[in-house]
């Protein structure tokens, strides 16, 4: 049987990035992909009038250098995202609807505390190496502590905690009570230690041609090397002769195997020839699952109401909103609210989420032209949304995170500081270089 140089399992941004660089260097590569399409957690469709709709990952920050470099190489265009749209943010709080960018529902005293904590957090993040958070002298203590615990220990009031949690749910992250402080500090250290998560830092740009076009362009170039509708069920690692077996029974032999899978689907594989330590560390990883809801309107009607389409929802099933494109809103249901979402009769879900849009944006929000719902947590080939670090998990996993055990390589956004597109491309391209160097 033919032995390839590399089998890549998974054709998301990470798998495609690693395959692309290997093929460019002359390697014999095959990619196995469970779905009938490439892109994984980036996926797009279009409306009847031809507007692109992103159902997965969308936006990037200035410091997402690997992703930006790849986009430039593919001849695609980076443009400003929703953060440039004029108008006020909307806060759907338990005690009313508020507008303004600096948490208008809080007292001046609370806002002062919030900004003080933001500065303290930025200073702490600046003392952390994002590539080696384990070397921080207080790593274990910082990891054991949740973000919520730390905020309380620093004198956060109830309203400051509410602000942090509401911002968190806007992003569909896990609760501040279940997130490791060390993991959050690491994430912001990677971003340049500006303070708490900031849309201007993390989400200021997007790809004009559509985020999923990045993956689709790479997939097109890889052509016949990608085997679609080929879910893998086992990987056997042996020097010079690894075996990847698909659910169909088809096998692929290679000198190297790259897993480019999210944490959940990776746990489902039977893997031999890899140390227990390596597998245990991979199997610990967890996601914060989420549902994405995308209502499409004829126009960006909220702009004439002085709203910029960015919303933070405390009292809803949706966690928050942002503008994806002209007339198109993106919204996420965070993990804490998935129970309430799942309890809705399936044929009532879109209407229930639309009703919440009306609360935040007025009656015009009821007039959708189309609506898309994508439940990423329930999808067997994702089983989540973005990486989530519970207190204690980052130090429990330790420096094995993001490492390899050649000829078994592990790439994907889960192997970076958090589950974002930058991590997928960065880990993919770095692994390609390491494989070639061997
Ligand atoms: C709703 C949503 C919004 C997001 N928003 C953003 C954002 O705005 N900005 C940002 O940077 N990131 C965002 N993300 C995260 C980002 O999209 C992902 O981190 C990134 O695309 C992951 O790339 P990946 O290649 O590591 O994994 P994936 O894209 O998950 O790719 C893994 C691939 O493996 C395949 N696979 C799974 N199991 C098997 C198997 N057994 N055999 C073969 N193939 C298998 C899957 O089908 C998939 O194609 C978002 C994600 C979601 C879901």
């Amino acid at each position: 049987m033919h032995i390839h140089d590399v089998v890549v399992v998974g054709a998301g941004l990470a798998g495609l990035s690693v395959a692309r660089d290997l093929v460019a260097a002359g390697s014999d590569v095959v990619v196995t992909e469970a779905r009938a399409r490439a892109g994984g957690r980036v996926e797009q469709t279009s409306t009847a009038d031809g507007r692109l709709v992103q159902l997965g990952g969308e936006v990037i920050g200035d410091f997402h250098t690997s992703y930006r470099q790849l986009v430039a190489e593919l001849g695609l265009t980076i443009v400003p995202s929703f953060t440039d749209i004029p108008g006020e943010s909307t806060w759907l709080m338990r005690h009313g609807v508020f507008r303004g960018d600096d948490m208008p529902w809080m007292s001046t005293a609370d806002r002062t505390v919030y900004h003080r904590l933001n500065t303290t957090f930025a200073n702490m993040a600046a003392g952390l190496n994002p590539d080696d958070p384990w070397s921080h002298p207080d790593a274990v203590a910082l990891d054991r502590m949740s973000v919520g615990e730390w905020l309380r220990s620093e004198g956060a009031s109830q309203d400051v905690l509410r602000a942090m949690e509401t911002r968190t749910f806007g992003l569909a992250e896990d609760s501040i009570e279940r997130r490791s402080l060390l993991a959050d500090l690491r994430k912001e250290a990677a971003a340049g230690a500006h303070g708490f998560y900031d849309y201007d830092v993390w989400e200021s740009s997007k790809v004009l041609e559509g985020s999923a076009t990045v993956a689709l362009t790479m997939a097109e170039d890889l052509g016949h090397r990608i085997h679609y509708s080929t879910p893998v069920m086992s990987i056997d690692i042996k020097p010079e002769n690894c075996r990847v077996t698909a659910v169909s029974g088809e096998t692929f032999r290679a000198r190297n195997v790259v897993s480019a899978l999210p944490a959940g689907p990776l746990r489902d594989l039977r893997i031999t020839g890899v140390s227990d330590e390596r597998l245990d560390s991979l199997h610990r990883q967890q996601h914060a699952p989420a549902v994405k809801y995308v209502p499409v309107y004829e126009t960006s009607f909220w702009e004439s109401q002085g709203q910029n389409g960015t919303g933070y929802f405390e009292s809803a099933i949706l966690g928050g909103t942002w503008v994806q494109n002209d007339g198109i809103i993106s919204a996420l249901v965070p993990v804490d609210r998935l129970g309430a979402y799942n309890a809705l009769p399936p044929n009532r879900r879109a209407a229930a989420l639309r009703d919440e849009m009306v609360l935040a944006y007025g009656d015009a929000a009821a007039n959708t032209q189309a609506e898309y719902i994508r439940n990423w947590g329930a999808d067997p080939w994702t089983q989540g949304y973005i990486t989530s670090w519970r207190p204690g998990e980052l130090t429990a996993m330790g420096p094995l995170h993001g490492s390899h055990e050649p000829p078994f390589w592990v790439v994907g956004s889960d192997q970076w500081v958090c589950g974002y597109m930058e991590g997928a491309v960065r880990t993919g391209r770095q692994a390609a270089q390491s494989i070639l160097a061997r």
Side-chain angles (χ1 to χ4, degrees), residues 44 52 54 71 75-79 206-214:
Q44 66 197 16
L52 272 183
Q54 300 301 322
V71 168
L76 301 173
T77 328
I78 304 255
V79 291
K206 63 179 183 179
V207 173
L208 175 68
E209 295 84 355
S211 156
T213 303
V214 176

Side-chain angles (χ1 to χ4, degrees), residues 378-391:
D379 183 319
W381 310 124
T382 301
Q383 300 179 33
Y385 154 56
I386 51 168
T387 328
S388 178
W389 296 97
R390 290 178 75 93

